[in-house]
């Protein structure tokens, strides 16, 4: 990466965000005339690398809505609060936003922080939207005004397993790292694989801070399984995995979690990931995704990965419901959100749409996709759905 | 010339020596006497920059010792052979000596090799043991290493802190004769000693330090004539 | 068998990285008696310095490597000057500099996080990762590069301490600070140079390891732990101990992960077990100090 390009890139990014900020704040001149929407995001904690690109999508959707005349004749005003991915802070920020008169809250933080914020939003039944995919978020509390955008973790796993079945795998190796999330994902992968009749014959862990993954990958090579599943979430250790895979001349298909959709890998494991398949929620062939991609490209001068699309859907989900409710009254808005059926966002496989009439996690279970890395980029969808 | 006036020094909050006045002329051999704990070693540490809490005035050939770091004092030609020898036990005799020559002034026809020859000449035993680990030498040999090491930088003044402490009489004799040779060469020497007989036979003048103050300054000759020599420290301590 | 030979090269390279961090500890520890846990941060920062030079400014590797090492040497020097020296000169206790350096560890960590975030950055090795075969041994060119560079550094450091009078002066300071001062050794200079040298060597560890996985702030703690473990295994008395400890640690880890039939999650326990064993059985490490008395 050249300095010139990097610097210009950084400059564009800064300008872009600044431009977005002015677009978002344009309506703030007369606060009474705006629709206030709260965002709880992680700007300083360990979830910020996911949260920051998502926030971009939220701001972009807001800017475009405001440029098109706003909603119900009013501009949208974003009130953004940082919770550092700390649950108690998240809850108190939710209260702060409610006190400031927001009509809804978007949670852009970890599942634990989002769960804790629900304890506040449930008291006033203020609509709360998140794209966090944790399955338990709608289970622990009967919060009628809490909604989830995007594929749940269980759908992601089922989609990957359906893909595995389509490949008629008999055996698989499972490689992860020693992070909490990596361990949990590996557990779900294993359960899913065994349910699908795929025998997991090797399970390897690449501990954080390892200098090489060669010993583990030699064991994987010796086991000669039909495929290798990667459940690790640590970028450095996953890079060691890909490097050892190449060094040892392995040829089996690699199937990975949603985590591999993070663009970091295209840089740290550059050229090592050709043919790797991974779970994603965005299908670049879907018209609504293309609309988002075009808007993003116009704003930032580069192609987006899927993360900003989550924020884009968060915001557009709220906007379409406010329009249908014809009001920002929280009860009416809540009902409109519940009644969102057939609304298609940027996320989801081509031809799928959200449906919140049957549950508060409205992502179409057939909407998650498996994509393949091609030319060191996120390539086309090779599989979608859980069947 | 070493000139000290009103020098104070101590550790932490405690002052140990209180306003010392003292002079050692170039080429002179002077003894600093005094009972255990009087502050002799403290005075030498203050002069050589390893004790930083000090006040008053001390100059060496005009250079202000109180403002110089220890390595600059060595470079100025004032060197201490410390109490307890402090040789580098894990290193060889040769390495110990080589480290002594770090501040050997460049030029003047002196080289490290010449200094090696010089100290080996003075202490032939060390030549035999040059590759031996210094920590394995006998106490007397270690003292020789300590003195030879100080001589490696061709100092103009040598401060010796109780060099004979705990040594067998034969070795004491050997070291005494080496010091005698140095004296004859005109090296300025300040010898710190508790035993009056050894000190007075070597030095031309003596200071007696008691409880951090100079209690007496006399020529060796005059001191030797006193008949209360055996109880001198005791009497002086009574007075102090 | 070819698996083993392939593993040896990679494990040796990992051991070299551990050994370099151990050497960074050692260089500071010997003359000052200070265990500097910020060594891991130095390694991480060295990798970042190399990334800035090679990855962002596109400086050629032959310049970027010494450049990054120099940057860290300056940081090490400044660390001594601003945090350790004032404490020592005010006569603070032995624990004070160790605590001050732990404080610096936090500052280094947060400062790097502030500038670079928690992202992972790619660092290219000068020779890439092509397969290189050397007789029966096979490994990546980066592994061989790590091994060669580490060997050069250790030989140079060893020669410095064993064969030069300046090296002996550092040793003298380590043995007895007061006696060293009486030799005319400038204690401040030796201390400052030890910190600069420690940081420079740590930087080498970081920038040699960087191309394998990527450069990230989180790499600092593993560096600190692995280097410290290698130091304890090899012993704190001699330069050779650092590399020996590093290689033993890496082999124990990699061979356990490869050949011991326990779940690979449990193989994580190798390092702490080895560390505890050495602390209990041979707290002075494998290599003794050279002297008898
Ligand atoms: N490092 C030190 N810290 C505190 N007090 C000391 C230290 N060294 C010596 N002293 C004290 O200073 C006084 C003088 O000691 P010293 O100079 O060694 O006496 P001398 O050399 O005349 O026997 C003694 O009371 C001794 O206990
Ligand atoms: Mg004394």
């Amino acid at each position: 990466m050249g300095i010139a390009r990097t610097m210009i890139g950084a400059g564009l990014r800064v300008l872009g965000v600044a431009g977005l900020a002015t677009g978002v704040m344009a309506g703030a001149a007369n606060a009474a005339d705006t629709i206030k929407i709260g965002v709880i995001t992680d700007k300083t904690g360990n979830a910020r690398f996911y949260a920051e690109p998502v926030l971009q999508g939220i701001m972009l959707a807001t800017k475009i809505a405001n440029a098109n005349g706003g909603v119900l004749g009013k501009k949208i005003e974003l009130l953004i609060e940082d919770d550092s991915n700390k649950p108690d802070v998240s809850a108190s920020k939710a209260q702060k936003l409610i006190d400031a008169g927001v009509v809804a809250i978007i949670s852009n933080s970890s599942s634990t922080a989002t769960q804790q914020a629900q304890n506040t939003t449930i008291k006033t039944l203020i609509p709360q939207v998140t794209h966090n995919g944790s399955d338990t978020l709608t289970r622990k509390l009967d919060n009628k005004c809490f909604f989830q955008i995007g594929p749940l973790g269980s759908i992601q796993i089922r989609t990957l397993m359906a893909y595995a079945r389509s490949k008629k795998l008999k055996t698989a190796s499972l490689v992860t790292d020693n992070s909490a999330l990596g361990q949990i994902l590996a557990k779900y992968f294993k359960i899913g694989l065994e349910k699908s009749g795929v025998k997991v014959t090797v399970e390897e862990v690449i501990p954080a801070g390892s200098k090489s993954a060669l010993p583990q990958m030699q064991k994987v090579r010796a086991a000669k399984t039909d495929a290798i599943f990667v459940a690790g979430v640590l970028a450095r250790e996953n890079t060691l995995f890909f490097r050892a895979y190449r060094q040892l001349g392995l040829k089996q298909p690699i199937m990975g979690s949603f985590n591999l959709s993070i663009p970091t890998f295209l840089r740290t494991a550059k050229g090592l990931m050709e043919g790797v398949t991974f779970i994603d929620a965005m299908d670049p062939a879907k018209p609504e995704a293309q609309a988002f991609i075009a808007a993003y490209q116009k704003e930032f001068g580069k192609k987006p990965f899927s993360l900003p699309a989550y924020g884009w859907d968060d915001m557009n989900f709220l906007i379409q419901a406010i329009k249908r409710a014809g009001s920002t009254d929280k009860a009416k808005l809540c009902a409109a959100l519940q009644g969102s059926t057939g609304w298609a966002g940027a996320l989801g496989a081509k031809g799928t749409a959200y449906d919140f009439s049957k549950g508060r996690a409205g992502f179409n279970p057939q909407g998650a996709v498996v994509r393949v890395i091609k030319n060191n980029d996120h390539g086309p969808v090779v599989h979608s759905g859980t069947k | 010339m070493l000139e000290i006036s009103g020098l104070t020094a101590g550790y932490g909050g405690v002052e140990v020596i209180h306003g010392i006045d003292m002079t050692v002329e170039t080429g002179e051999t002077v003894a600093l006497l005094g009972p255990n704990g009087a502050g002799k070693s403290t005075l030498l540490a203050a002069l050589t920059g390893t004790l930083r809490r000090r006040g008053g005035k001390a100059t060496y050939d005009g250079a202000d010792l109180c403002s110089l770091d220890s390595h600059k004092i060595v470079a100025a030609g004032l060197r201490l052979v410390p109490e307890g020898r402090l040789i580098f036990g894990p290193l060889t005799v040769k390495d110990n000596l080589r480290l002594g020559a770090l501040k050997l002034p460049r030029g003047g026809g002196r080289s490290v090799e010449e200094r090696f020859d010089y100290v080996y000449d003075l202490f032939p035993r060390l030549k035999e043991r040059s590759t031996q680990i210094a920590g394995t030498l006998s106490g007397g040999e270690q003292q020789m290493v300590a003195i030879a090491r100080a001589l490696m930088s061709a100092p103009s003044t040598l401060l010796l802190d109780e060099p004979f402490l705990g040594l067998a009489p034969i070795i004491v004799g050997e070291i005494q004769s080496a010091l005698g040779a140095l004296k004859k060469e005109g090296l300025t020497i300040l010898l710190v000693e508790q035993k009056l007989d050894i000190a007075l036979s070597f030095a031309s003048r003596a200071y007696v330090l008691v409880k951090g103050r100079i209690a007496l300054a006399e020529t060796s000759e005059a001191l030797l004539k006193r008949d209360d020599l055996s109880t001198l420290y005791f009497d002086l301590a009574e007075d102090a | 068998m070819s698996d083993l030979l392939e593993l040896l090269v990679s494990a040796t390279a990992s051991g070299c990285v551990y050994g370099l961090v151990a050497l960074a500890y050692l260089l500071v520890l010997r003359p000052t008696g200070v265990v500097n846990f910020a060594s891991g941060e130095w390694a991480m920062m060295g990798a970042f310095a190399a990334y800035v030079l090679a990855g962002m400014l596109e400086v050629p590797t032959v310049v970027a490597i010494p450049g990054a090492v120099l940057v860290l040497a300056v940081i090490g020097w400044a660390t001594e000057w601003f945090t350790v020296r004032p404490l020592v000169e005010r006569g603070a206790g032995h624990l004070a500099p160790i605590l001050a350096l732990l404080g610096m560890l936090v500052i280094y960590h947060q400062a790097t996080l502030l500038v670079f975030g928690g992202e992972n950055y790619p660092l290219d090795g000068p020779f890439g990762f092509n397969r290189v075969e050397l007789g029966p041994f096979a490994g990546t060119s980066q592994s061989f590069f790590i091994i060669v560079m580490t060997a050069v550094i250790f030989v140079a450091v060893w020669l410095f301490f064993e064969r030069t009078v300046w090296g002996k002066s550092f040793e003298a300071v380590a043995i007895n600070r007061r006696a060293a001062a009486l030799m005319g050794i400038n204690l401040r200079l030796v201390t400052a140079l030890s910190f600069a040298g420690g940081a420079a060597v740590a930087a080498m560890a970081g920038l040699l390891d960087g191309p394998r996985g990527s450069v990230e702030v989180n790499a600092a703690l593993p560096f600190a732990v692995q280097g410290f473990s290698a130091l304890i295994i090899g012993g704190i008395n001699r330069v050779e101990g650092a590399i020996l400890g590093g290689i033993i640690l890496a082999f124990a880890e990699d061979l356990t992960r490869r050949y011991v039939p326990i779940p690979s999650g449990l193989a994580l326990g190798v390092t702490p077990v080895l560390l505890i064993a050495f602390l209990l059985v041979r707290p002075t490490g494998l290599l003794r100090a050279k002297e008898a008395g």
Side-chain angles (χ1 to χ4, degrees), chain B residues 9-12 14-17 32-45 51 83 161-162 192 194 209 211-212:
Chain B
Y11 307 92
V14 190
E15 192 178 276
V16 170
I17 56 170
L32 177 62
L33 306 167
N36 211 2
K40 305 181 295 293
S41 299
T42 302
L43 172 61
L44 296 187
L51 180 64
E83 185 177 17
D161 195 352
E162 304 201 37
V192 170
Q194 286 190 50
L209 189 67
K211 291 184 182 168

Side-chain angles (χ1 to χ4, degrees), chain A residues 118-129:
Chain A
Q118 268 201 75
N119 289 330
T120 303
T121 58
I122 194 172
K123 286 188 211 143
T124 50
L125 282 179
I126 185 143
Q128 184 184 358
V129 175

Side-chain angles (χ1 to χ4, degrees), chain A residues 81-103:
Chain A
E81 291 292 338
D82 175 17
D83 72 351
S84 294
N85 191 16
K86 293 198 175 81
D88 49 333
V89 178
S90 211
S92 64
K93 291 292 169 110
Q95 189 58 52
K96 185 178 172 191
L97 289 169
I98 292 168
D99 294 345
V102 298
V103 303

Side-chain angles (χ1 to χ4, degrees), chain A residues 56-361:
Chain A
Q56 268 192 339
I58 295 173
M59 293 171 87
L60 181 60
T62 309
K63 185 183 179 184
I64 288 173
N66 285 344
N68 293 336
V71 184
L72 305 180
K74 291 179 178 180
K75 295 280 160 89
I76 296 170
E77 182 188 353
L78 287 183
L79 304 186
I80 299 171
E81 291 292 338
D82 175 17
D83 72 351
S84 294
N85 191 16
K86 293 198 175 81
D88 49 333
V89 178
S90 211
S92 64
K93 291 292 169 110
Q95 189 58 52
K96 185 178 172 191
L97 289 169
I98 292 168
D99 294 345
V102 298
V103 303
I105 290 174
I106 297 173
S107 270
N108 180 25
S109 193
S110 70
S111 60
T112 39
T114 304
Q115 182 68 46
Q116 192 67 29
Q118 268 201 75
N119 289 330
T120 303
T121 58
I122 194 172
K123 286 188 211 143
T124 50
L125 282 179
I126 185 143
Q128 184 184 358
V129 175
T130 187
H131 50 269
N132 190 296
S134 168
D135 277 66
T136 61
L137 279 172
T138 51
R139 291 197 199 134
K140 285 191 184 148
L141 282 178
D142 189 25
N143 183 352
K144 292 200 162 36
C145 272
F146 177 85
F147 301 95
Q148 263 174 307
I149 286 287
L152 295 179
S154 58
I155 294 177
Q156 295 176 23
I157 304 249
R158 276 159 55 205
T159 306
L160 190 64
M161 294 312 143
Y163 177 58
R165 283 195 300 276
S166 78
K167 293 284 173 194
K168 310 229 171 347
L169 306 178
K170 289 195 180 59
T171 56
S173 314
L174 181 52
V175 182
T176 189
D177 54 46
N178 62 340
S179 68
L181 186 55
Q183 293 285 312
I184 291 168
L185 275 178
K187 195 179 88 189
Y188 286 137
F189 271 26
K190 190 174 179 190
I191 294 170
L193 282 166
E194 308 222 303
K195 258 196 218 152
S196 308
V198 183
K199 203 162 174 299
V200 177
T201 52
V202 211
E203 288 173 69
E204 290 299 323
V205 177
I206 305 171
S210 293
K211 300 289 172 263
S212 144
L214 214 60
Q216 292 94 332
M217 293 306 287
Q218 281 187 340
K219 280 163 98 172
V220 167
R221 180 172 65 181
K224 295 195 167 65
T225 54
D226 298 334
I228 304 168
F229 283 77
V230 200
V233 298
L234 303 177
R236 198 179 153 279
E237 288 62 28
N238 274 346
T239 303
L240 292 175
F241 162 83
F242 288 120
R243 205 171 283 299
Y245 175 90
R246 293 287 161 196
Q247 192 190 337
L248 296 178
L250 290 166
K251 292 282 182 285
Q252 295 106 309
I254 295 176
M255 302 181 183
S257 73
F258 164 74
N259 185 264
L260 291 188
S261 75
I262 296 168
T264 301
F265 291 110
L266 300 178
R267 298 190 296 268
T268 61
K270 188 175 181 177
L272 300 176
M273 294 177 76
E274 273 322 281
V276 170
T277 50
F278 62 95
I279 290 287
D280 200 5
M282 188 169 80
D283 180 354
K286 187 184 190 184
E288 292 82 0
Q290 283 166 354
F292 157 71
I293 291 168
Y296 188 96
Q297 199 136 19
K298 189 171 163 223
E299 184 72 32
F300 297 106
K302 60 172 187 175
K303 228 180 70 180
F305 294 96
S306 55
L307 279 174
Y310 285 76
W312 170 272
D313 273 13
D314 282 332
M315 181 52 79
N316 285 325
F317 174 52
L318 281 171
I319 289 171
Q320 61 85 28
I322 295 169
K323 281 181 181 161
R324 282 192 294 108
S327 154
T328 54
D329 172 73
K330 63 189 176 194
K332 285 182 186 157
L333 178 53
C334 191
L337 287 165
Q338 260 172 29
S340 301
T341 59
W343 169 66
L347 298 179
K350 191 175 172 183
T352 62
Y354 286 101
D355 180 359
F356 286 88
S357 64
K358 295 183 200 72
R360 291 180 283 117

